[in-house]
Amino acid sequence: MARPLAGTRPAAASAVRATSPATAAEARDAARVFLAALAPLPSRECAENVVLVVSELVTNALRHAGGVTALRFAADGGTLHVSVRDPSPVPPGERPPDLSGYGGGFGWPLVRHLAREVTVTPSSDGGKDIRVALPR
């Protein structure tokens, strides 16, 4: 179950929420809760893109990086922000997609395609933060 770290709604134009999900399903649920609390609500397409990006980033962190140490959401007037922290210092990389459907390889290119901006930075605990900005 997701463990809330913080959750505030400072103003109608901005919002912040953080959690530490154990599964991609918990991360998607946390994203939906965050999006539902925004005013104005994001479009359906925007919300679906956020949930998809969260699912891909958290799945990759669980599968390749040893877990998720933090998942943060923020919003301002024109942008939705997602940040995933994991314990691995190794940055994500592209690999050839497995067209048989079993080996993956589609998530990172998809995240980069949907995002307005993606940054990967080392975190103070030795892992990394992946920050994604999506149009609101």
Side-chain angles (χ1 to χ4, degrees), residues 63 95 98-106:
R63 184 176 290 168
R95 58 190 174 95
D98 177 5
L99 299 179
S100 71
Y102 296 102
F106 296 95

Side-chain angles (χ1 to χ4, degrees), residues 22-75:
T23 67
E26 286 180 10
R28 290 188 297 270
D29 290 344
R32 289 182 187 107
V33 167
F34 171 76
L35 293 165
L38 295 177
L41 290 172
S43 70
R44 180 178 174 182
E45 178 182 4
C46 176
E48 289 172 353
N49 288 345
V50 168
V51 171
L52 180 56
V53 165
V54 165
S55 187
E56 290 297 335
L57 291 176
V58 169
T59 297
N60 286 348
L62 294 169
R63 184 176 290 168
H64 304 293
V68 175
T69 56
L71 170 63
R72 292 182 176 83
F73 302 97

Side-chain angles (χ1 to χ4, degrees), residues 99-121:
L99 299 179
S100 71
Y102 296 102
F106 296 95
W108 186 240
L110 181 63
V111 167
R112 290 182 30 241
H113 174 75
L114 292 174
R116 180 181 289 162
E117 181 179 0
V118 178
T119 58
V120 180
T121 56

